[in-house]
């Protein structure tokens, strides 16, 4: 549970940045090299690498180096966990609202 | 778009903390006073108020003071936006995977 909580910390922190989200957005359309990820971003390559590190540590992205080229991939299982936590909270809230509606109809 | 991106920044940053997630979890079961939110958390009331401020600034929680009691509520519309962004990225990835599957079947 603690580990799950820690990974949610890392995943949401990773998503709390527009540049990192644009990298995730790009990777949702298919694998990309670091150079391709960097292209639309107005920042130095070391800054891109730093963002990539945060994404990799969160588990949302993984990368593989072949020769001098590092290719990055999205890890949908991690995104699924991040989505799931929010979905469950919203579901809890909606189910409470339904019960409240039933109660008001009955009374 | 910039504003939307800024609010995603604030929402994911707000969710990147276990104490704040436990406050959201509690509020998903119904409104709660600050005192009720603080009860399960091992921290000072000022610390709880600080977390609450982060949640309010992100739009995920709103609160209302009546007399000396501040009651907090979940804002499901904000949570919906946070969930939606992730869902769309996952959907993009899955649709790419489908197209890849079709391509491999055909070739």
């Amino acid at each position: 549970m603690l580990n799950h909580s820690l990974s949610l910390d890392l995943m949401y922190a990773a998503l709390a940045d527009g540049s990192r989200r644009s990298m995730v957005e790009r990777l949702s359309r298919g694998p990309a090299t670091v150079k391709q990820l960097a292209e639309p971003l107005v920042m130095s390559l070391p800054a891109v690498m730093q963002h990539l590190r945060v994404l990799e540590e969160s588990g949302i992205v993984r990368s593989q180096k072949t020769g001098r080229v590092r290719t990055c991939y999205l890890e949908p299982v991690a995104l699924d966990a991040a989505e799931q936590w929010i979905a469950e909270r919203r579901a809890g809230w909606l189910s409470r609202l339904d019960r409240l509606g039933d109660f008001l109809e009955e009374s």
Side-chain angles (χ1 to χ4, degrees), chain A:
Chain A
M1 185 59 198
L2 187 67
N3 282 349
H4 181 59
S5 180
L6 180 63
S7 46
L8 285 174
D9 282 10
L10 295 176
M11 282 190 284
Y12 291 129
L15 293 177
D17 178 277
S19 302
R20 288 196 292 268
R21 283 198 305 278
S22 83
M23 292 164 81
V24 171
E25 160 73 44
R26 168 62 190 82
L27 293 175
S28 74
R29 286 182 275 122
T33 64
V34 175
K35 201 175 156 228
Q36 287 171 325
L37 281 183
E39 261 165 20
L41 302 171
V42 188
M43 59 174 71
S44 66
L45 202 63
V48 173
M49 292 299 290
Q50 175 55 31
H51 281 309
L52 183 59
R53 200 165 303 131
V54 174
L55 285 168
E56 286 198 75
E57 281 169 2
S58 77
I60 292 175
V61 168
R62 66 186 168 84
S63 74
Q64 200 174 329
K65 203 167 180 179
T66 309
R68 295 183 62 178
V69 177
R70 180 173 292 279
T71 307
C72 308
Y73 307 82
L74 205 63
E75 273 292 0
V77 176
L79 276 188
D80 189 31
E83 186 186 339
Q84 203 57 33
W85 190 90
I86 305 178
E88 283 166 12
R89 301 297 85 70
R90 280 187 60 233
W93 188 90
L94 290 172
S95 118
R96 184 188 162 273
L97 210 65
D98 280 349
R99 289 197 306 277
L100 192 65
D102 291 346
F103 173 78
L104 292 175
E105 265 178 29
E106 283 163 19
S107 56

